[in-house]
Amino acid sequence: MKFFHSLLCCLTWIAFALPCVAADAARKPTVFLIGDSTVKNGDKGLMGWGSFLAEHLDLTKVTVSNRALGGRSSRSFLREGLWEKVLGDVQAGDFLLIQFGHNDRGPIDKEKARASLKGNGDEEKEVTIQETGAKETVHSHGWYLRKYATDAQAKGAVAIICSQIPRNIWTNGKVGRADADYGKWAAEAAAGCKAQFLPLNKLIADQYDELGAEKVGEDYFTTTDHTHTTEAGAKLNAACVAMGIRQLKDCPLAQWLRPE
């Protein structure tokens, strides 16, 4: 009798477990994107590169989940609980692309209070947000990037930190770059946590310089906005992301890029 009882329990477990195993085996890796409105934009006529990255990937092999949200900084994306929701969905074998920086400037303790500390160090500052009275420990820009990357890595995902896209601001025929501040800190953060680094700022800036200020301004931006791209600009930037992934050393996501 004990034998038949044990056999019945075993068969019951197999009947329950096999569909779960099959579902896990059939699950495609997910490419999660987190960032600001330059990655996902809901304003009329403006779009972020995250809306077109899927065009460069084999969607029979992977899926794309764009969790970026306009107006967020590396700091506020964490404070508002947005990262917690993303991390809850991340699984082993997934990918995380991180791009912040445009909103990390400004007041640290009032108004939107979204500024991070400059740099990539472990320094921190205790602040009280004037409008709400809430207390918060503020970290460096690089610290937040490293947290997102290491949290994802701890779950078995591949983290890719991107430098921010360039703005449509030119000096002496060259578009402005972020290699002295946020782009530099992004590279340092990636190195510090052994994440992949995608030099998106440089890749796009090189394209802009080649095209020239007039064409970039006419085709990829509006006359009233030097930060957010049009659909054409978002598509160009997504192509640069794909190019950057292809150039990364030993990045498993590259195998699922569509042919150039």
Side-chain angles (χ1 to χ4, degrees):
M1 183 65 70
K2 289 183 178 180
F3 170 78
F4 288 108
H5 177 73
S6 298
L7 180 61
L8 179 62
C9 291
C10 183
L11 292 173
T12 301
W13 182 88
I14 291 173
F16 173 78
L18 280 180
C20 298
V21 172
D24 287 343
R27 179 185 180 272
K28 294 184 292 186
T30 298
V31 182
F32 290 96
L33 313 179
I34 63 172
D36 52 39
S37 55
T38 63
V39 183
K40 184 179 182 180
N41 200 321
D43 292 341
K44 185 176 180 180
L46 301 175
M47 301 194 75
W49 59 260
S51 297
F52 298 101
L53 183 61
E55 296 180 359
H56 298 274
L57 292 166
D58 182 352
L59 297 183
T60 67
K61 305 294 185 182
V62 295
T63 186
V64 178
S65 180
N66 189 353
R67 303 290 187 89
L69 190 61
R72 272 56 184 185
S73 66
S74 64
R75 170 188 169 191
S76 64
F77 197 86
L78 179 65
R79 181 182 67 215
E80 295 178 18
L82 299 171
W83 172 237
E84 183 179 7
K85 293 178 181 178
V86 176
L87 186 60
D89 293 333
V90 172
Q91 297 185 36
D94 288 341
F95 301 87
L96 174 70
L97 271 68
I98 308 160
Q99 188 226 271
F100 288 102
H102 286 291
N103 298 317
D104 278 67
R105 298 174 172 84
I108 195 172
D109 60 356
K110 61 182 179 180
E111 298 171 9
K112 294 181 180 180
R114 59 188 181 182
S116 55
L117 302 182
K118 299 182 186 303
N120 180 54
D122 291 322
E123 64 273 16
E124 57 187 38
K125 185 174 182 178
E126 301 293 331
V127 302
T128 300
I129 300 176
Q130 294 181 14
E131 281 75 9
T132 65
K135 297 184 181 299
E136 184 179 354
T137 301
V138 181
H139 303 274
S140 73
H141 177 65
W143 184 93
Y144 290 107
L145 300 182
R146 283 185 275 121
K147 176 172 177 53
Y148 298 136
T150 55
D151 282 355
Q153 289 168 335
K155 297 192 73 172
V158 174
I160 303 172
I161 297 177
C162 307
S163 50
Q164 65 182 38
I165 69 169
R167 289 182 167 91
N168 185 31
I169 300 176
W170 298 71
T171 303
N172 298 324
K174 297 289 184 181
V175 73
R177 299 178 183 237
D179 49 9
D181 46 40
Y182 290 94
K184 174 177 178 287
W185 302 329
E188 292 172 347
C193 62
K194 294 181 171 56
Q196 297 270 8
F197 175 63
L198 199 159
L200 186 56
N201 186 267
K202 179 182 185 305
L203 291 174
I204 298 174
D206 286 347
Q207 294 286 316
Y208 286 177
D209 285 350
E210 185 175 340
L211 292 166
E214 183 176 354
K215 181 171 180 58
V216 169
E218 289 179 353
D219 293 353
Y220 303 136
F221 292 88
T222 67
T223 57
T224 58
D225 192 321
H226 58 46
T227 300
H228 304 97
T229 52
T230 61
E231 179 177 338
K235 288 183 175 180
L236 181 144
N237 292 348
C240 287
V241 173
M243 177 171 61
I245 293 171
R246 190 172 279 110
Q247 293 174 356
L248 291 175
K249 183 179 179 180
D250 300 325
C251 181
L253 184 55
Q255 67 183 308
W256 291 310
L257 286 170
R258 296 166 64 90
E260 291 184 271

